[in-house]
Amino acid sequence: MNHEHFTEKIQKAREFCQEVKILAEKYHLPFFIVTDGASCTNNFGCPAVKNARDAHIVWEKKHNLDPFESWDEKKSKL
């Protein structure tokens, strides 16, 4: 996979996550979503969402990824 295609895929994944975030805010629902290239969460006390995010943190660490990377800050760089 070339860098340009990789960057486009990540950008689309991040846009998808942003749309989910907006929808969750509309309904005031906690969520955690992971897709190929991005993940996003907003939780305010839901144990199921916390469990899913905690499991993903373990997976990211196992695969040498930064589970606390904030891609919101990086979106302008893509």
Side-chain angles (χ1 to χ4, degrees):
M1 182 181 308
N2 66 37
H3 177 72
E4 194 172 297
H5 178 73
F6 180 75
T7 301
E8 180 181 334
K9 181 177 105 173
I10 289 175
Q11 184 62 37
K12 286 184 179 194
R14 291 176 178 180
E15 288 172 11
F16 174 75
C17 286
Q18 286 293 352
E19 289 181 29
V20 170
K21 184 178 180 180
I22 291 166
L23 189 60
E25 287 172 357
K26 176 181 176 182
Y27 291 98
H28 193 66
L29 291 171
F31 74 96
F32 169 69
I33 182 171
V34 61
T35 187
D36 191 10
S39 65
C40 187
T41 189
N42 187 18
N43 190 16
F44 34 90
C46 178
V49 171
K50 182 180 183 326
N51 183 65
R53 177 60 182 133
D54 288 348
H56 190 246
I57 288 170
V58 170
W59 184 90
E60 287 179 312
K61 287 179 178 179
K62 181 178 176 183
H63 291 89
N64 296 316
L65 300 169
D66 178 3
F68 304 106
E69 174 187 19
S70 176
W71 50 260
D72 276 339
E73 297 168 3
K74 295 181 179 184
K75 69 181 172 185
S76 62
K77 295 180 184 177
L78 288 180

